[in-house]
Amino acid sequence: EVQVVESGGGLVQPGRSLRLSCTTSGFTFGAESMSWFRQAPGKGLEWVGFIASKAYGGTTHYAASVEGRFTISRDDSKSIAYLQMDSLKTEDTAVYYCSRDSYGHSPIDSFDFWGQGTMVTVSS
Amino acid sequence: DVVMTQTPLSLSVTPGQPASISCKSSQSLVHTDGKTYFFWYLQKPGQSPHLLISEVSNRFSGVPDRFSGSGSGTDFTLKISRVEAEDVGVYYCMHSIQLPRTFGQGTRLEIK
């Protein structure tokens, strides 16, 4: 059974940092690219960034709104993807989700399992 | 960036009646591999998004067959043949043909 669990959220002051984790099981994590998404309170869904599998170079790409402040990494030995968030702004307040991406394979078995999300509140 | 435009933005449907949501993309979502990188999600109140349909028309495991997806290229439709009370929430379309992945604005479905 595929499981995805996001964690690490909390209350943080503007300008500070936070690291989120996306812990997975039930599939071959190392073979999958992973994306992070977010949803601000009362708003729609927004893609945050992506990390390719090692087979595709482990490259990363980010939304313009977080480029230069957020960094995605992965630990294939633990089946975990990370989202390092630096220089946080109040507009980064959102629930953050992760899911396996379609990069490098069919849209089937992609973006299929999402966790409950982890809430990040940026406020002084 | 690919712009995804959903219509309508809200729906009020009597139980047992059909419902339809449209999603149009600003460019074709057909990849060079021949597959279409298009998805439908439902986010029920207080929950995370749940995948309904991938690659235009493939229902995800456990999704009732009253949900169906159709379309091609840039025009896509989600149909619910007979709306039930548990179908309330916000429906989103999404593409992954290129980076960044983008979503439609969402369509809120309520029960009359």
Side-chain angles (χ1 to χ4, degrees):
Chain A
E1 178 190 7
V2 173
Q3 291 195 328
V4 175
V5 178
E6 302 91 350
S7 62
L11 174 63
V12 61
Q13 294 178 328
R16 304 299 290 265
S17 299
L18 203 61
R19 189 180 80 159
L20 306 183
S21 298
C22 170
T23 304
T24 73
S25 61
F27 63 97
T28 306
F29 180 82
E32 303 283 353
S33 300
M34 298 295 294
S35 266
W36 282 93
F37 301 87
R38 69 183 180 183
Q39 186 172 37
K43 301 297 185 182
L45 295 164
E46 179 188 16
W47 175 81
V48 171
F50 148 95
I51 184 165
S53 64
K54 292 287 197 298
Y56 288 88
T59 58
T60 54
H61 295 272
Y62 302 95
S65 57
V66 307
E67 179 81 54
R69 300 188 298 120
F70 288 13
T71 303
I72 298 174
S73 61
R74 60 189 300 151
D75 184 336
D76 291 351
S77 69
K78 296 181 180 178
S79 299
I80 299 176
Y82 299 100
L83 178 63
Q84 176 68 39
M85 304 184 294
D86 299 323
S87 303
L88 281 161
K89 304 176 180 180
T90 55
E91 52 263 42
D92 296 320
T93 294
V95 177
Y96 286 74
Y97 302 98
C98 63
S99 187
R100 52 184 179 177
D101 195 279
S102 62
Y103 190 82
H105 66 80
S106 165
I108 304 297
D109 296 332
S110 302
F111 305 106
D112 45 2
F113 293 93
W114 296 47
Q116 80 292 345
T118 188
M119 181 71 203
V120 172
T121 302
V122 184
S123 174
S124 55
Chain B
D1 297 1
V2 178
V3 177
M4 306 291 280
T5 304
Q6 286 182 235
T7 54
L9 298 184
S10 65
L11 272 177
S12 183
V13 184
T14 301
Q17 293 301 303
S20 180
I21 300 171
S22 170
C23 181
K24 297 183 188 298
S25 58
S26 59
Q27 62 189 70
S28 175
L29 302 185
V30 182
H31 195 272
T32 52
D33 64 8
K35 300 183 188 299
T36 303
Y37 287 70
F38 178 82
F39 307 82
W40 285 106
Y41 287 89
L42 167 58
Q43 187 172 31
K44 296 183 178 182
Q47 296 186 15
S48 56
H50 297 278
L51 179 65
L52 292 174
I53 288 173
S54 58
E55 202 179 350
V56 182
S57 59
N58 293 279
R59 271 190 306 276
F60 185 54
S61 176
V63 174
D65 61 8
R66 64 178 181 275
F67 290 92
S68 64
S70 63
S72 63
T74 61
D75 289 358
F76 306 93
T77 301
L78 175 70
K79 293 184 179 178
I80 311 173
S81 58
R82 295 173 302 280
V83 170
E84 297 187 5
E86 66 180 23
D87 300 335
V88 297
V90 181
Y91 292 78
Y92 294 96
C93 58
M94 187 194 82
H95 81 84
S96 66
I97 190 68
Q98 65 183 49
L99 297 168
R101 284 62 168 109
T102 54
F103 293 85
Q105 316 96 301
T107 297
R108 184 173 302 276
L109 185 147
E110 66 172 30
I111 299 296
K112 280 184 182 175

